[in-house]
Amino acid sequence: MPVGPYFAQPIRLLAEERFVRAFPGGTGDSKAAGNYAGGLLAARLAQEKRLSQCLMVGRRRAPLRRRIRRYECFFRPGWQGDYASFRRHDPPGVTRNSALTLLREMGIPAEERQITIDEILSAHAAGKLTEAFGAGTAAIVAPIACIRYRERDMQFPAPTDSSVAARLRARLVAIQTGREPDTHNWLLPV
């Protein structure tokens, strides 16, 4: 269902290492109210720093534990394709799957794999990370303006009408509102 923008401005994320929102064996694969409780304190701390939301990062120092754990993000450039989206062990979100499908239809290669905060830091420091956006039920497609990791801010260019995030959002909303045909049977008329 089409909705107005959940975030009025490009989002500013706090890369959070101290708290865990979901864990193996939990209920992260369902839309249960309790699934959101684990992230409330971290979200409040992010808001106190004038940031929009949290990007959960694994706490342990081992490379596999430094993976991005929460927030359906896309990063450009991807490491294999143009865009990389982190792959999760729980069932992927409908909006993320829709975004991946539409990116590929738009001729924009997109890959799914585990992404670590270290890869994001390295690509940003090298000037290779040129766009980032989130995709989710309420946000649909939301450009990322900044990711704060520890006390370092990684800034991203302001989105334009020709940015991939803007074009992807426009296409998804056009399908939702019937201005573009739903060739994937995503819509359920009521």
Side-chain angles (χ1 to χ4, degrees):
M1 167 180 281
V3 296
Y6 187 77
F7 297 106
Q9 303 292 324
I11 54 180
R12 299 175 49 80
L13 298 174
L14 173 64
E16 176 55 60
E17 297 177 290
R18 295 174 296 163
F19 302 104
V20 177
R21 179 177 176 253
F23 53 90
T27 59
D29 62 340
S30 62
K31 284 282 186 187
N35 289 348
Y36 297 93
L40 291 177
L41 177 58
R44 189 180 86 203
L45 295 174
Q47 290 166 356
E48 288 174 1
K49 295 179 181 192
R50 297 182 179 220
L51 302 168
S52 311
Q53 191 52 266
C54 287
L55 177 72
M56 297 296 200
V57 177
R59 295 189 288 177
R60 296 187 188 134
R61 297 292 179 239
L64 289 179
R65 297 293 182 208
R66 293 179 54 76
R67 297 181 303 217
I68 304 303
R69 296 234 182 240
R70 178 183 175 247
Y71 210 77
E72 304 285 7
C73 290
F74 290 78
F75 299 97
R76 182 181 191 189
W79 287 263
Q80 297 290 326
D82 279 358
Y83 279 80
S85 172
F86 74 94
R87 182 181 64 233
R88 295 163 36 149
H89 295 291
D90 55 322
V94 170
T95 307
R96 181 171 142 267
N97 276 351
S98 300
L100 286 165
T101 298
L102 293 178
L103 283 171
R104 291 172 181 141
E105 285 180 4
M106 294 163 64
I108 300 169
E111 66 171 323
E112 296 175 86
R113 68 175 189 77
Q114 297 294 339
I115 298 172
T116 67
I117 190 66
D118 299 313
E119 289 176 286
I120 294 169
L121 290 165
S122 177
H124 189 270
K128 295 179 180 177
L129 196 54
T130 58
E131 186 177 7
F133 59 88
T137 305
I140 304 177
V141 175
I144 296 173
C146 172
I147 297 174
R148 179 173 295 166
Y149 178 66
R150 297 183 178 167
E151 294 305 314
R152 175 181 170 193
D153 284 353
M154 291 179 280
Q155 302 287 342
F156 297 95
T160 64
D161 289 342
S162 63
S163 68
V164 171
R167 292 185 305 149
L168 179 61
R169 179 180 168 73
R171 182 134 185 245
L172 191 52
V173 171
I175 292 170
Q176 290 176 326
T177 58
R179 289 181 284 125
E180 187 172 312
D182 173 19
T183 60
H184 304 285
N185 295 316
W186 291 337
L187 302 180
L188 176 65
V190 290

